[in-house]
């Protein structure tokens, strides 16, 4: 059994995550008899491809940013692990981030874990089925020792996106689509009641015409997070996935989604078994589209919003958007 090198996790105070060791064979082995984690760190010892160099750079940038910008260390609790999906067959841990291709990643993992039944094509799985609780197990469901073992020996990956493009994508999907009545009722009515002067009775009842400006007011209002945590669709990645407490072996990016997804599936040894779906780019939220939405936001509120999402910009190496007026 070949031993393998693993970078230390960032926080030595995280009780749930012990230092990874070159330990015995665990579940989740590819055809070579090596786990995805071993595949990653063994290949790092050899001559690296451009993709491997890119991902090593991202790991190092994230580690440096965590050292520079996070001072408090805390212990992970099971509640922190609710967004981490477990594939025990292939030795994978995936932290899903809404609006960063998480529907397609859940579909792929349903195929890999057998939760999709006879389906081998991820796109044959309806989107709503991919989000049904219970179809895929999360790390929070395991005992502390089981959590430790998986954090130590499984390949941990996350996909991230430029924070404001992700935010505009969430707004467009949840507040401008007529079919999202649950979000209109749950959040739209509240946003209109709290952040629209003299709202009409119909708007208070339906909550289906929230403007992006009102959405921004809601996000930056300190009372919002005092009342309840952000919804996962606009919660910050560092809050959902704890990248300074959990060492992610692969940080995929929405901007290089297809290449990074192929890399993860290659490490998992399943490249021939399942293909990551390509998405329709015509409806995708772009930087130009985000700039249009931010045009109506004053520099004061742009700055407040940027401060709210600042850590995601820093940790994942996204530059401050050129269109912001406070620059």
């Amino acid at each position: 059994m070949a031993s393998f090198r693993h970078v230390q996790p960032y926080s030595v105070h995280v009780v749930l995550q012990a230092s990874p060791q070159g330990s015995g064979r665990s579940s989740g082995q590819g055809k070579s008899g090596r786990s995805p984690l071993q595949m990653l760190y063994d290949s790092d010892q050899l001559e690296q491809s451009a993709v491997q160099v890119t991902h090593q750079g991202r790991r190092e940038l994230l580690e440096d940013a965590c050292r520079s910008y996070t001072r408090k260390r805390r212990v992970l609790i099971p509640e922190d692990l609710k967004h981490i999906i477990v594939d025990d067959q292939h030795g994978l841990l995936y932290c899903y981030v809404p609006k960063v291709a998480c529907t397609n990643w859940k579909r792929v993992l349903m195929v890999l874990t057998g939760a999709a039944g006879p389906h081998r094509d991820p796109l044959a799985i309806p989107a709503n089925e991919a989000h049904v609780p219970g179809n895929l197990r999360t790390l929070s469901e395991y005992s502390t020792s089981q959590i430790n073992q998986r954090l130590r020996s499984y390949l941990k990956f996350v996909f991230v996106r430029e924070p404001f493009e992700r935010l505009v994508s969430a707004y467009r999907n949840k507040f401008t689509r007529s079919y999202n009545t649950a979000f209109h009722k749950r959040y739209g009515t509240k946003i209109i009641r709290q952040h629209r002067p003299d709202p009409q009775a119909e708007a208070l009842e339906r909550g289906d015409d929230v403007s992006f400006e009102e959405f921004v007011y809601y996000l930056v209002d300190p009372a919002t997070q005092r009342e309840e945590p952000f919804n996962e669709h606009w919660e910050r990645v560092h809050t959902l996935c704890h990248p300074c407490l959990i060492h992610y072996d692969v940080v995929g990016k929405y901007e290089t989604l297809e290449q990074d997804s192929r890399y993860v599936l290659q490490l998992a040894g399943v490249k021939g078994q399942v293909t990551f779906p390509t998405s329709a780019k015509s409806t995708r939220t772009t930087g130009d589209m985000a700039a249009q939405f931010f045009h109506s936001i004053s520099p004061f509120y742009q700055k407040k919003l940027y401060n709210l999402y600042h850590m995601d910009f820093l940790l994942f190496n996204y530059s401050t958007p050129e269109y912001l007026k406070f620059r």
Side-chain angles (χ1 to χ4, degrees):
M1 182 67 179
S3 64
F4 64 103
R5 175 177 62 85
H6 196 313
V7 182
Q8 293 283 348
Y10 305 136
S11 171
V12 295
H13 302 291
V14 180
V15 169
L16 285 178
Q17 185 171 10
S19 296
Q21 305 292 330
S23 55
R25 189 175 286 196
S26 67
S27 61
Q29 292 164 332
K31 292 175 185 172
S32 65
R34 292 181 300 167
S35 73
L37 193 62
Q38 288 171 302
M39 293 283 284
L40 175 70
Y41 289 104
D42 281 352
S43 65
D44 277 0
Q45 305 295 316
L46 307 171
E47 187 176 342
Q48 291 186 318
S49 68
V51 173
Q52 288 169 318
V53 170
T54 295
H55 285 278
Q56 183 174 336
R58 287 179 190 171
R59 287 195 298 271
E60 290 170 356
L61 280 165
L62 177 56
E63 186 174 358
D64 289 346
C66 286
R67 283 203 200 99
S68 300
Y69 299 109
T70 59
R71 288 169 185 82
K72 291 181 184 174
R73 301 298 190 196
R74 70 174 183 78
V75 172
L76 281 168
I77 57 173
E79 181 76 16
D80 296 324
L81 308 174
K82 285 189 168 181
H83 267 249
I84 299 180
I85 293 170
V86 182
D87 175 359
D88 281 322
Q89 286 103 306
H90 301 92
L92 301 174
L93 296 178
Y94 162 57
C95 187
Y96 73 90
V97 178
K99 307 312 300 176
V100 194
C102 79
T103 302
N104 280 342
W105 263 114
K106 286 180 179 181
R107 285 167 160 155
V108 167
L109 287 165
M110 284 178 69
V111 170
L112 290 178
T113 59
H119 294 307
R120 302 310 299 167
D121 175 10
L123 288 179
I125 303 166
N128 62 325
E129 198 177 313
H131 298 294
V132 171
N135 276 344
L136 293 163
R137 292 194 73 183
T138 64
L139 196 55
S140 60
E141 298 170 36
Y142 291 77
S143 69
T144 300
S145 62
Q146 291 172 325
I147 289 169
N148 266 319
Q149 188 268 328
R150 284 158 179 77
L151 285 171
R152 200 161 47 235
S153 60
Y154 284 15
L155 182 88
K156 297 167 290 297
F157 69 99
V158 61
F159 274 75
V160 300
R161 184 177 186 178
E162 200 280 339
F164 284 170
E165 287 180 30
R166 176 175 170 248
L167 188 66
V168 169
S169 178
Y171 166 75
R172 289 177 66 215
N173 180 253
K174 300 305 175 190
F175 294 106
T176 71
R177 304 284 190 265
S178 59
Y179 56 79
N180 263 324
T181 52
F183 267 80
H184 301 160
K185 288 281 188 183
R186 172 77 173 80
Y187 295 100
T189 54
K190 181 189 295 186
I191 291 170
I192 290 167
R193 186 170 66 250
Q194 295 175 346
H195 299 286
R196 181 179 298 179
D198 303 319
Q200 298 293 313
E202 186 181 8
L204 287 169
E205 169 66 24
R206 294 168 64 93
D208 61 355
D209 66 343
V210 171
S211 70
F212 185 65
E213 200 170 2
E214 289 165 341
F215 181 51
V216 170
Y217 294 158
Y218 164 78
L219 292 172
V220 302
D221 183 352
T224 298
Q225 287 191 85
R226 281 202 300 268
E227 191 176 307
E228 62 180 345
F230 276 168
N231 179 276
E232 63 178 12
H233 290 83
W234 47 86
E235 181 59 277
R236 284 71 52 95
V237 177
H238 75 268
T239 304
L240 293 175
C241 295
H242 309 284
C244 292
L245 299 176
I246 295 170
H247 175 83
Y248 286 96
D249 306 292
V250 176
V251 178
K253 292 202 168 186
Y254 193 71
E255 296 77 14
T256 50
L257 176 62
E258 290 176 24
Q259 174 184 288
D260 295 344
S261 298
R262 278 197 305 272
Y263 183 53
V264 172
L265 294 176
Q266 178 187 327
L267 290 169
V270 296
K271 206 173 170 189
Q273 299 172 37
V274 64
T275 303
F276 189 84
T278 54
S279 61
K281 293 179 180 173
S282 57
T283 58
R284 185 179 284 186
T285 300
T286 63
D288 288 344
M289 204 178 286
Q292 291 172 14
F293 278 87
F294 273 82
H295 186 71
S296 63
I297 308 300
S298 72
F300 177 77
Y301 281 101
Q302 285 185 3
K303 178 67 172 170
K304 275 183 169 291
L305 194 67
Y306 181 77
N307 289 343
L308 198 59
Y309 288 87
H310 191 210
M311 280 301 290
D312 279 0
F313 280 97
L314 288 173
L315 294 176
F316 304 114
N317 199 32
Y318 287 108
S319 55
T320 308
E322 292 287 341
Y323 54 77
L324 295 180
K325 299 168 194 164
F326 68 82
R327 288 170 61 88

